[in-house]
Amino acid sequence: MTHIFDLSGKVAIVTGANTGIGQAIALSLAEAGADIAAVGRTPAEETVAKVRALGRKAEIVSADLSSIEPVQRVVDETLEKLGGLDILINNAGIIRRAYSVDFTEADWDAVIDTNLKVLFFLCQAAGRHMIAQGSGKIVNIASLLSFQGGIRVPSYTASKSGAAGLTKLLANEWAAKGVNVNAIAPGYIATNNTAALQADETRNRQIQERIPAGRWGEASDIGGAAVFLSSSAANYVHGHVLAVDGGWLAR
Ligand code: NAP
């Protein structure tokens, strides 16, 4: 019997696959049977080695996702090297912290370009292929700041709120074409992205006290949700932003 979470024979692009949440998602998808195109500016050697050790195919696709210049090549190289494209995980992202009164245009543009503009155009490039084949799964990595305002991260909040909005818009346009577009909103996950918060003793304690689960999430906590939204188990799930946050938003 075919398992509803089985990803055997599927090819997934994971952006920012060299570390953190992206690496964890790549490994979870591979454990479920998918082959992986590990996309990013830092070569994801470790991720590729781990995926191959699981018996799946993995290839590095080098791309600096601070502009849309490499977007079509990412899709073309994936098709060339792995022979298909069924899943897109838009995970690569950055954050810049400063109070709004001091926030610079450079910090605005850098975050919006990587987290929102490139995310959209990767959806477009992969979506064109998926619509033509009549099936595909896109999972955008959103944030708690897709729901909440945050503080000292104006471009990040704008980008992640935008990513949640685009997820719903694309679901409206593509659901009837066999393409599922959803998002995951990770809570506080211990990665490079949150190193500054983890290092701040007071903020660290306040964060942990507010999380019903009582701990930071691990990158691996996000993998199961990514497998679900990439699999046939989610065939009727469209435009959803799934919080994986230890209960933070329930509080
Ligand atoms: P991370 O460890 O800093 O990973 C970010 C990834 O994005 C890295 O692979 C990074 O590559 C890649 N990236 C950044 N800019 C890039 C560019 N211009 N071109 C190509 N790749 C680029 O942080 P993370 O926590 O795993 O973050 C992954 C995603 O989850 C992000 O979208 C983040 O906003 C989101 N998120 C994280 C949390 C959390 O608590 N950690 C919560 C909510 C949402 P390099 O290593 O080369 O920089």
Side-chain angles (χ1 to χ4, degrees):
M1 194 180 81
T2 310
H3 197 282
I4 54 171
F5 298 111
D6 184 23
L7 300 179
S8 301
K10 304 291 184 191
V11 175
I13 285 176
V14 182
T15 68
N18 60 309
T19 185
I21 292 171
Q23 182 180 62
I25 288 176
L27 296 181
S28 292
L29 296 180
E31 275 167 19
D35 296 330
I36 305 294
V39 179
R41 61 185 170 187
T42 306
E45 310 280 6
E46 186 184 88
T47 306
V48 162
K50 287 184 172 176
V51 169
R52 288 179 180 160
L54 291 166
R56 307 311 322 161
K57 288 186 208 149
E59 296 291 340
I60 287 173
V61 176
S62 297
D64 180 348
L65 301 176
S66 60
S67 86
I68 67 168
E69 182 274 324
V71 160
Q72 188 57 47
R73 179 179 54 79
V74 164
V75 169
D76 293 344
E77 244 185 85
T78 301
L79 291 168
E80 207 177 288
K81 289 179 167 173
L82 291 164
L85 173 57
D86 306 284
I87 298 160
L88 167 65
I89 310 289
N90 261 318
N91 165 78
I94 57 172
I95 192 163
R96 298 282 167 85
R97 297 177 195 278
Y99 285 109
S100 293
V101 286
D102 300 322
F103 212 75
T104 64
E105 185 179 5
D107 281 347
W108 179 268
D109 286 346
V111 173
I112 296 291
D113 284 354
T114 297
N115 294 13
L116 190 59
K117 185 174 180 181
V118 170
L119 175 142
F120 172 74
F121 283 98
L122 268 172
C123 287
Q124 182 190 65
R128 285 174 176 156
H129 171 83
M130 291 171 180
I131 288 166
Q133 77 185 357
S135 68
K137 302 276 194 258
I138 295 177
V139 181
N140 295 320
I141 302 304
S143 165
L144 295 178
L145 301 189
S146 302
F147 302 97
Q148 301 178 310
I151 191 163
R152 297 184 72 243
V153 286
S155 56
Y156 187 81
T157 300
S159 73
K160 294 299 184 177
S161 297
L166 282 177
T167 297
K168 294 172 207 171
L169 172 134
L170 293 171
N172 290 337
E173 293 191 12
W174 296 349
K177 301 178 191 295
V179 179
N180 299 69
V181 187
N182 291 290
I184 295 171
Y188 283 84
I189 310 296
T191 67
N192 299 336
N193 177 295
T194 51
L197 285 178
Q198 295 168 67
D200 181 332
E201 209 176 300
T202 311
R203 284 287 285 135
N204 193 355
R205 182 175 37 77
Q206 288 167 342
I207 287 166
Q208 289 201 50
E209 282 171 1
R210 196 197 175 286
I211 299 171
R215 65 167 177 87
W216 282 74
E218 300 295 330
S220 57
D221 285 319
I222 307 300
V227 169
F228 164 57
L229 291 174
S230 300
S231 73
S232 64
N235 277 353
Y236 200 59
V237 181
H238 292 283
H240 187 66
V241 185
L242 176 57
V244 182
D245 65 351
W248 176 278
L249 288 176
R251 195 113 178 176

